[in-house]
Amino acid sequence: MNDISPRAQGNDTRLAERCAAVSADLERFGLPSEEAQRRVAETYIPIAREITSLFGAADAPKLLVLLGGPGASKSTFSKHLKLIFQGASDMTCAVVSSDDF
């Protein structure tokens, strides 16, 4: 996976576009633009980096499970994290919610 640090956002156009899309979506939830961008840089990017370091190479399927109560934004967070991962690599991600069963 490419470097997904905030520093790399300017160097990787695809990642920068995905980060902007996540920020825009957060703004639709009512966050001011500056706060949305801060959340991407300080929350989503570090979490994606940590997951990447834990899972290592994308040579085999990996499973990440998010748990939380109803309305905890698990689906929204998953959608955003998927955008970040796919912006930083050629990784294929799928989001499956318990509502889908």
Side-chain angles (χ1 to χ4, degrees), residues 18-100:
R18 297 301 179 102
C19 288
V22 172
S23 292
D25 199 46
L26 290 171
E27 288 175 42
R28 283 191 286 278
F29 284 101
L31 285 177
S33 178
E34 218 171 86
E35 174 65 13
Q37 291 172 11
R38 185 187 68 75
R39 284 200 187 180
V40 170
E42 295 179 7
T43 303
Y44 287 95
I45 299 279
I47 289 172
R49 186 183 311 128
E50 183 67 20
I51 290 168
T52 301
S53 71
L54 290 172
F55 283 150
D59 56 352
K62 310 292 192 274
L63 176 66
L64 175 67
V65 178
L66 299 177
L67 300 173
S73 296
K74 298 174 300 294
S75 295
T76 302
F77 183 77
S78 298
K79 177 179 77 170
H80 292 161
L81 200 56
K82 177 182 174 180
L83 281 170
I84 299 290
F85 275 123
Q86 290 182 328
S89 71
D90 293 328
M91 184 186 307
T92 300
C93 299
V95 174
V96 179
S97 75
S98 61
D99 296 336
D100 296 335

